[in-house]
């Protein structure tokens, strides 16, 4: 039976319309004659979504009792018995409750797919394992249910259901997502504008990577090694030398000619040595790549050129930038062409830019010393034949019949062969040189007979010394190679330590580093989720994070696995690591433990900060309720109780005074509650003003109603231009600032000054200013910023005179209208508040929701 196909509708946040889209698709399939059933669809009380269930066949869910509560779960057996062509299954990442062994809904979906049933399901990006910690950091909410990215990537189709953050917030405000009593809390927390924008970008980037992964998988399945230039990717080969900055800047200039490109810097480190690396230069180049919008990577390989080409092909690079060789002519003769030349020869269809730099042909400080390669062996054997023959020919011509001199010079030749070619060419040279000495220098000459016993002893000593020299040179080479390999490992670990100190590491970044450092296809971090079933412990591995294609899902299926701590395994697939790599992998594992601990500590710190902020806000609100709200309530209560006393008859003046007290206290309560509500809207980004042309004089007249006669003096020019503002909000801004000034500078004259000389600017656009000037005691410069924060009052202001929200609300409303509210010292003493708003273009904007236009016309102060 053919396996069914899986289609996942991916959303950036709840409420974008995934279930709605899924049910609409079901109606289309039914109309096309496709046998479709609803295995599970959760409308969460949304009427529009629930209405789409009409006309569809629904498999009744089964009720599951769990910890005293009842839950609806998909009846997998019923769906399998029904055997439709297409089944709709909501919430792909959901944890199925009850029934003993914990499992995920995606595992139930696998059963349907295995039975040949096509499935459409829904998923939010917050449930992707690779993005769970990122989403938690953005939204300050812990993601309890995740699904491995690899499981999602196996879907046949992934479609993004996308709406703008503004539209989603409007839907939320209109009650289309949550119940009315949950809207304000949702807007103030998870559904902030910044949160939704970040989640939407995460969804788009993840889906773009999915498309890129699909292309990479297709190329791998079809063994396509050529790069497909779907977008421009420029890879810069770095050696850790000072020339890296030149190469990076050249690559950035190449990439600047196109849009949507990607810059990748690759530090190529030899597996058995460090090629002139400078930690300071590496760090500077890493920072330069970051400043230019690129990314830094590190790879290790026996052949740096091949390692660079493999990385470029795996990244689907279109262009490679490498520097000219730093080798001198002798190094090129002994070791062949440099990395750049090898890259050019093996690049295939990748364009290679070989950039000259000041260090070209100047030599490398630390040369890589490794086991003799094929080229060195061939050169060593050639020298083993040529050099002894040349020495013997020269000696026969210029120094005949001197056996001691011949032996010493031939020994020098054997040492040279040992240095160049290693052990085996040196042994061959020793034997060949001894035969030449025997044939041409030892009496009788031109024969292999030796007449003098001393000459025989000299030949034996010569061979022994040559062998000893060859062995010593080979051992020294091996020790040097081991030391350089240890240096390369130390450099790799230092990069990990740098990331830990800088706090830049995440699990995903760490696994990418592991994959690149060990040159494997995929890396997985597996967590042991064991559960007791029937008394026998079963090991269930959960994929917490992964890097690369098709990561292993269990340690036994991986080529390499390292248990970094009980229940936590780092699994690598792609090649079997040797002993030295296994030691390095253990060091990576220790770093992983520290990284996870740091992530947990950071999460705890953020949670503690959030709780502390919430506690501060609650304390401030409680203080406001306990003092500032109870005072007018007490006045109202006292006045009403007095008026209701039947045995007491008040004079008309006394009764009017009591009624006035009730009215003023009620107005004060209304203002306090209004400011609290306004602050809540501002903090949740739920204020969208109704902008249009407003005259300063109109807003000021409305704002000063109720103020004592003569308390405020106006100096407004008659030709002040109209500003772009919401009339009700601008009135509230002026009223709050004026009342704040009268409260803190009661003995000072208060002047409202309009400015027309000069043109103030806001973000490059012309604006107009209103200055509210008092000559009181003023505010210290260090207290100006705190003055605009919620619940801030001067220390000597008595309780009951306000909750300290007046300026915070005024600033929030001003910024919502695109303006600026600032404070500056009044010459001669006092404080000047400056309200700056953009000039009106003469047209009125349409309402954008989230705030009731009637509410924006309310007046209040404090």
């Amino acid at each position: 039976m053919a396996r069914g196909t899986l289609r996942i509708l991916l959303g950036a946040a709840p409420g974008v319309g995934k279930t709605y889209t899924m049910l609409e698709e079901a109606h289309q399939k039914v109309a096309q004659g496709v046998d479709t059933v609803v295995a599970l669809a959760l409308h969460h009380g949304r009427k529009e979504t629930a209405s789409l269930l009409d006309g569809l066949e629904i498999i009744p869910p089964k009720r599951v009792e769990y910890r005293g509560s009842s839950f609806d779960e998909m009846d997998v057996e019923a769906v399998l018995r029904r055997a439709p062509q297409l089944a709709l299954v909501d919430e792909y990442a959901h944890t199925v409750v009850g029934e003993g062994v914990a499992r995920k809904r995606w595992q139930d979906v696998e059963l349907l797919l295995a039975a040949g049933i096509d499935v459409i399901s829904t998923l939010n990006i917050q449930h992707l394992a690779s993005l769970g910690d990122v989403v938690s950091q953005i939204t300050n909410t812990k993601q309890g249910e995740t699904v491995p990215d690899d499981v999602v990537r196996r879907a046949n189709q992934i479609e993004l259901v996308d709406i703008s953050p503004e539209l989603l917030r409007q839907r939320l405000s209109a009650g289309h997502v949550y119940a009315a009593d949950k809207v304000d809390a949702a807007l103030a927390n998870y559904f902030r504008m910044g949160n939704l924008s970040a989640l939407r970008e995460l969804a788009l980037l993840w889906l773009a990577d999915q498309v890129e992964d699909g292309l990479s998988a297709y190329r791998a399945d079809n063994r396509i090694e050529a790069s497909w230039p779907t977008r421009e990717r420029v890879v810069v080969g770095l050696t850790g030398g000072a020339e890296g900055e030149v190469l990076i800047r050249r690559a950035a200039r190449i990439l600047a000619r196109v849009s949507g490109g990607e810059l990748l810097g690759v530090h190529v480190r030899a597996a058995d040595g460090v090629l002139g690396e400078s930690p300071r230069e590496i760090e500077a180049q890493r920072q330069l790549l970051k400043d230019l919008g690129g990314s830094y990577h590190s790879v290790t390989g026996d052949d740096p050129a091949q390692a660079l080409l493999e990385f470029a092909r795996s990244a689907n690079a279109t262009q490679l930038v490498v520097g000219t060789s730093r080798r001198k002519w002798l190094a090129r003769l002994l070791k062949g062409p440099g990395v750049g030349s090898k890259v050019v020869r093996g690049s295939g269809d990748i364009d290679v830019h070989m950039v000259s730099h000041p260090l070209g042909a100047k030599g490398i400080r630390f040369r890589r010393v490794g086991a003799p390669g094929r080229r060195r062996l061939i050169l060593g054997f050639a020298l083993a034949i040529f050099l002894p023959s040349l020495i013997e020919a020269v000696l026969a011509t210029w120094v005949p019949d001197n056996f001691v001199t011949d032996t010493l010079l031939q020994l020098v030749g054997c040492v040279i062969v040992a240095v160049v070619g290693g052990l085996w060419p040196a042994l061959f040279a020793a034997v060949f040189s001894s035969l030449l000495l025997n044939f041409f220098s030892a009496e009788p000459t031109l024969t292999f007979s030796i007449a003098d016993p001393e000459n025989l002893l000299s030949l034996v000593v010569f061979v022994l010394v040559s062998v000893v020299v060859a062995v010593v040179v080979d051992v020294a080479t091996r020790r040097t190679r081991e030391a350089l390999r240890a240096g390369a490992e130390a450099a790799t670990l230092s990069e990990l330590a740098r990331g830990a100190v800088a706090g830049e590491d995440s699990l995903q970044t760490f696994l990418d580093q592991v994959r690149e450092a060990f040159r494997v296809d995929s890396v997985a971090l597996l967590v042991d989720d064991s559960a007791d079933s029937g008394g026998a412990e079963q090991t269930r591995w959960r994929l917490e994070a992964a890097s690369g294609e098709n990561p292993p899902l269990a340690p036994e299926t991986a080529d390499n696995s390292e248990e970094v701590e009980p229940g936590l395994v780092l699994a690598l697939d792609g090649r079997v690591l040797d002993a030295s790599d296994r030691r390095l992998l253990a060091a990576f594992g220790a770093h992983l433990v520290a990284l996870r601990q740091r992530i947990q500590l950071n999460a705890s710190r953020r949670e503690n900060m959030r709780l502390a902020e919430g506690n501060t806000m609650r304390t401030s609100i409680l203080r406001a309720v306990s003092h500032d709200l109870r005072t007018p309530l007490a006045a109202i209560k006292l006045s009403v109780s007095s008026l209701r006393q039947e045995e007491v008859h008040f004079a008309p003046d006394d009764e009017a005074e009591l009624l006035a007290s009730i009215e003023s206290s009620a107005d004060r309560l209304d203002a306090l509650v209004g400011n609290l509500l306004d602050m809540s809207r501002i903090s949740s980004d739920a204020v969208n003003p109704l902008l249009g042309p407003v005259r300063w004089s109109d807003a000021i007249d409305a704002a000063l109603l109720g103020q004592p006669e003569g308390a405020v003096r106006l100096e407004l020019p008659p030709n002040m231009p109209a500003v772009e503002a919401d009339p009700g909000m601008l009135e509230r801004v002026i009223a709050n600032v004026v009342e704040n000034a009268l409260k803190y500078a009661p003995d000072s004259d208060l002047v409202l000054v309009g400015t027309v000389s000069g043109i103030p600017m806001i973000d490059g656009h012309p604006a107009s200013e209103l200055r509210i000037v008092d000559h009181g005691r003023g505010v210290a410069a260090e207290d100006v910023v705190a003055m605009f924060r919620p619940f801030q009052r001067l220390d000597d202001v008595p309780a009951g005179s306000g909750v300290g929200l007046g300026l915070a609300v005024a600033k929030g409303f001003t910024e919502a209208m695109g303006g600026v509210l600032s404070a500056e010292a009044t010459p001669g003493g006092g404080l000047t508040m400056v309200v700056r708003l953009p000039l009106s273009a003469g047209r009125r904007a349409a309402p954008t929701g989230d705030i009731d236009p009637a509410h924006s016309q309310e007046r209040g102060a404090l």
Side-chain angles (χ1 to χ4, degrees):
M1 179 182 296
R3 177 181 170 85
T5 60
L6 173 61
R7 180 182 175 194
I8 293 179
L9 302 178
L10 182 68
V16 297
K18 302 180 299 299
T19 305
Y20 190 93
T21 303
M22 180 179 70
L23 295 176
E24 278 189 328
E25 180 77 12
H27 281 281
Q28 295 176 10
K29 293 295 184 181
V30 170
Q32 296 169 5
V34 178
D35 184 14
T36 303
V37 301
V38 178
L40 187 68
L42 305 174
H43 54 77
H44 299 291
R46 299 162 190 167
K47 297 179 181 179
E48 296 83 356
T49 304
S51 64
L52 288 178
L53 290 171
D54 297 336
L56 296 176
E57 180 183 350
I58 302 176
I59 303 294
K62 60 182 178 181
R63 299 292 292 176
V64 177
E65 299 295 330
Y66 184 70
R67 293 183 178 179
S69 301
S70 297
F71 299 89
D72 287 335
E73 294 291 353
M74 179 175 61
D75 193 338
V76 181
E77 293 77 9
V79 178
L80 292 174
R81 288 195 301 268
R82 172 63 175 77
Q85 290 178 264
L86 175 64
L88 310 183
V89 182
D90 216 350
E91 296 190 0
Y92 189 63
H94 175 71
T95 300
V96 180
V97 299
E99 301 187 5
V101 180
R103 69 180 193 277
K104 299 288 188 178
R105 186 164 291 152
W106 63 265
Q107 294 173 317
D108 289 343
V109 170
E110 288 293 317
L111 298 177
L112 302 183
L113 295 173
I117 301 173
D118 297 338
V119 176
I120 299 179
S121 190
T122 62
L123 179 70
N124 284 328
I125 64 163
Q126 69 196 56
H127 300 302
L128 291 168
S130 64
L131 299 180
D133 57 339
V134 180
V135 175
S136 297
Q137 183 176 355
I138 293 172
T139 62
N140 286 326
T141 57
K142 182 176 179 57
Q143 308 304 320
E145 298 176 328
T146 59
V147 57
D149 288 47
D150 182 62
V151 174
V152 180
R153 290 191 181 101
R154 291 203 297 263
N156 301 88
Q157 297 179 41
I158 301 177
E159 177 184 340
L160 182 65
V161 180
D162 183 40
I163 62 174
S164 67
E166 295 83 0
L167 181 57
L168 179 55
R169 285 173 59 83
Q170 288 182 19
R171 292 190 62 206
L172 188 66
S173 299
H176 297 323
V177 179
Y178 292 146
D181 59 340
K182 299 180 180 179
V183 170
D184 287 338
L187 287 172
N189 294 282
Y190 195 95
F191 288 85
R192 289 174 178 265
M193 181 66 71
N195 289 1
L196 296 178
S197 299
L199 294 176
R200 188 187 191 196
E201 184 175 358
L202 278 177
L204 292 171
L205 290 174
W206 188 90
L207 195 61
D209 290 340
Q210 165 67 16
V211 174
E212 190 68 27
D213 291 343
L215 177 61
S216 300
Y218 177 81
R219 293 173 62 227
D221 293 341
N222 292 272
R223 298 182 179 179
I224 300 173
E225 296 184 357
S227 295
W228 285 6
T230 53
R231 60 174 171 170
E232 202 73 31
R233 282 189 181 87
V234 180
V235 173
V236 188
L238 306 173
T239 63
E243 77 281 2
E245 181 177 348
V246 176
L247 304 183
I248 293 172
R249 295 190 182 277
R250 177 61 179 272
R253 290 196 296 271
I254 294 173
L255 196 60
R257 302 168 187 167
V258 298
S259 60
E262 188 176 353
L263 177 63
L264 298 92
V266 185
H267 176 209
V268 184
R269 178 178 290 120
D272 56 355
V274 180
L275 289 174
E277 291 184 9
S278 168
R280 181 179 301 175
E281 295 291 347
I282 292 174
E283 183 59 32
Q285 291 162 23
R286 184 199 304 270
Q287 186 61 43
L288 179 60
L289 280 165
K290 182 179 180 180
D291 294 341
L292 295 175
S295 57
Y296 174 87
H297 305 266
S298 177
V299 297
T300 305
D302 297 326
D303 186 347
Q306 186 62 30
L308 177 59
L309 287 172
E310 288 177 358
F311 178 90
R313 292 193 180 98
S314 66
N316 200 20
T318 56
Q319 301 189 61
L320 257 172
V321 177
V322 294
T324 54
S325 177
R326 289 191 290 164
R327 291 179 178 175
K328 295 184 179 181
W329 68 270
L330 181 59
R332 289 196 296 270
L333 175 64
L334 295 177
K335 308 185 74 169
V339 173
S341 300
K342 294 180 180 179
V343 167
V344 170
R345 286 203 302 265
S347 61
D349 56 350
I350 303 177
D351 297 336
V352 179
H353 302 263
M354 186 173 288
V355 180
S356 60
H357 52 86
L359 297 180
K362 294 295 181 63
I364 304 176
R365 281 188 296 151
F366 301 104
R367 294 193 305 169
R368 171 172 159 260
V369 179
R374 184 178 179 183
R375 181 183 178 86
R376 286 183 60 189
L377 283 175
I378 294 175
L379 183 60
F381 278 111
L383 283 176
I385 296 174
F386 173 74
L387 196 57
S389 301
L390 178 63
I391 293 174
E392 192 61 39
V394 171
L395 290 176
T397 303
W398 300 100
V399 191
D401 302 330
N402 193 329
F403 186 77
V404 175
T405 302
D406 292 357
T407 302
L408 292 176
L409 290 178
Q410 288 289 2
L411 181 60
V412 172
C414 290
V415 172
I416 294 174
V417 172
V419 171
V420 173
L423 178 61
W424 296 109
L427 294 179
F428 177 81
V431 174
F432 183 61
S433 298
S434 66
L435 293 176
L436 291 178
L437 287 172
N438 186 2
F439 191 79
F440 290 104
S441 300
E443 295 293 340
T445 59
L446 303 180
T447 67
F448 288 103
S449 301
I450 300 176
D452 189 348
E454 291 185 2
N455 290 343
L456 177 60
L457 180 61
S458 298
L459 282 176
V460 172
V461 172
F462 167 79
V463 173
L464 292 176
V465 171
S466 299
V467 170
V468 170
V469 168
V471 171
V472 169
V473 170
D474 183 69
V475 170
T477 301
R478 292 178 184 275
R479 294 292 180 267
T480 304
R481 183 169 66 251
E482 292 173 358
L484 290 177
R485 184 177 183 89
E489 294 177 357
T492 302
L493 293 175
S494 70
E495 289 187 2
L496 283 177
R498 187 211 64 83
V501 172
E504 298 176 353
D505 278 354
S506 65
L507 280 179
Q508 189 61 48
T509 302
F510 173 80
L511 295 182
D512 291 340
Q513 284 182 305
V514 173
R515 180 169 56 85
E516 292 171 359
F518 293 99
R519 294 173 290 120
V520 294
D521 297 333
S522 59
V523 179
L525 180 61
L526 303 175
V527 179
D528 181 9
D529 288 340
S530 298
D532 291 335
S533 178
E537 184 175 313
Q538 295 181 345
T539 301
R540 301 175 61 88
W541 294 103
R542 172 173 56 86
L543 183 65
E544 181 170 333
S547 174
E549 291 291 329
N550 300 320
L553 300 179
E556 55 270 15
T557 63
D559 293 330
N560 313 273
S561 61
E562 177 73 20
E563 186 177 21
V564 296
E565 64 179 9
L568 188 66
V569 172
L570 194 60
L572 288 72
D573 220 0
R575 72 181 183 92
V576 178
L577 303 182
D578 57 26
S580 59
D581 284 337
R582 297 285 304 188
R583 291 195 301 271
L584 184 60
L585 181 60
F588 270 74
H591 178 81
L592 174 61
V593 173
L595 174 61
R596 283 168 55 86
Q597 292 174 349
R598 190 176 74 242
I599 291 175
Q600 294 173 358
L601 289 175
N602 287 337
S604 299
R605 181 179 59 83
R606 288 193 299 269
E607 179 66 16
N608 291 336
M609 290 177 61
R610 187 184 67 81
L611 293 175
E613 291 173 357
N615 186 59
T616 301
M617 183 66 72
R618 284 191 295 271
T619 302
S620 300
I621 293 175
L622 287 174
R623 186 167 55 244
V625 172
S626 62
H627 294 88
D628 301 288
L629 296 183
R630 291 184 63 184
T631 301
L633 282 174
I636 293 173
K637 173 69 174 175
L638 179 61
S639 299
V640 171
S641 298
S642 299
L643 290 173
R644 293 190 62 186
Q645 293 183 27
E646 297 179 355
E647 65 276 9
V648 178
H649 297 281
F650 292 95
D653 292 341
D654 295 335
E655 184 175 338
E657 184 179 352
L658 290 173
L659 291 175
S661 176
I662 293 173
E663 183 179 16
S664 63
S665 297
D667 290 340
R668 185 174 175 185
L669 274 177
D670 179 67
L672 289 170
V673 173
N675 271 328
L676 286 171
L677 292 175
D678 288 336
M679 198 67 243
S680 173
R681 288 175 176 269
I682 291 170
S683 63
S684 61
D685 297 331
V687 177
N688 287 317
L690 181 63
L691 298 177
V694 179
R695 294 281 178 182
W696 284 110
S697 56
D698 297 336
I700 291 172
D701 290 342
L704 296 183
L705 290 177
Q707 296 297 340
E709 185 72 24
V712 180
R713 180 162 47 93
L714 300 181
E715 295 183 2
L716 299 180
N719 58 341
M720 285 194 71
V723 293
E724 193 77 6
D726 181 300
M729 285 189 184
L730 182 55
E731 176 189 335
R732 290 288 302 280
V733 170
I734 297 174
N736 281 15
V737 174
V738 167
E739 184 143 345
N740 191 77
L742 292 174
K743 182 193 307 179
Y744 290 106
D747 300 328
S748 166
D749 60 329
L750 187 64
V751 185
L752 271 62
V753 180
T755 60
V756 292
S757 59
I759 302 180
M761 307 293 286
I762 297 179
D763 296 331
H765 300 287
S768 178
E769 284 183 352
L770 177 69
R771 293 176 170 265
I772 303 171
V773 184
D774 71 62
H775 294 85
R777 60 173 181 163
V779 177
E782 60 270 16
D783 296 330
V784 169
V785 175
M787 181 175 63
F788 291 104
R789 294 173 184 161
F791 305 106
Q792 299 295 318
R793 298 182 299 186
L794 290 182
D795 51 6
D796 60 347
V797 174
S801 60
V803 294
L805 286 177
L807 291 184
V809 170
K811 184 176 180 64
F813 278 176
T814 304
E815 293 176 350
M817 293 185 290
V820 177
L821 176 62
S822 59
E824 58 187 48
T826 302
L831 186 69
T832 298
M833 304 294 293
V834 182
V835 183
R836 182 180 300 172
L837 289 170
L839 293 180
S840 173
R843 61 182 183 275
R844 181 173 292 277
T848 54
D850 277 13
I851 185 168
D852 186 353
H855 174 74
S856 71
Q857 302 293 335
E858 294 177 1
R859 287 185 290 109
L862 221 57

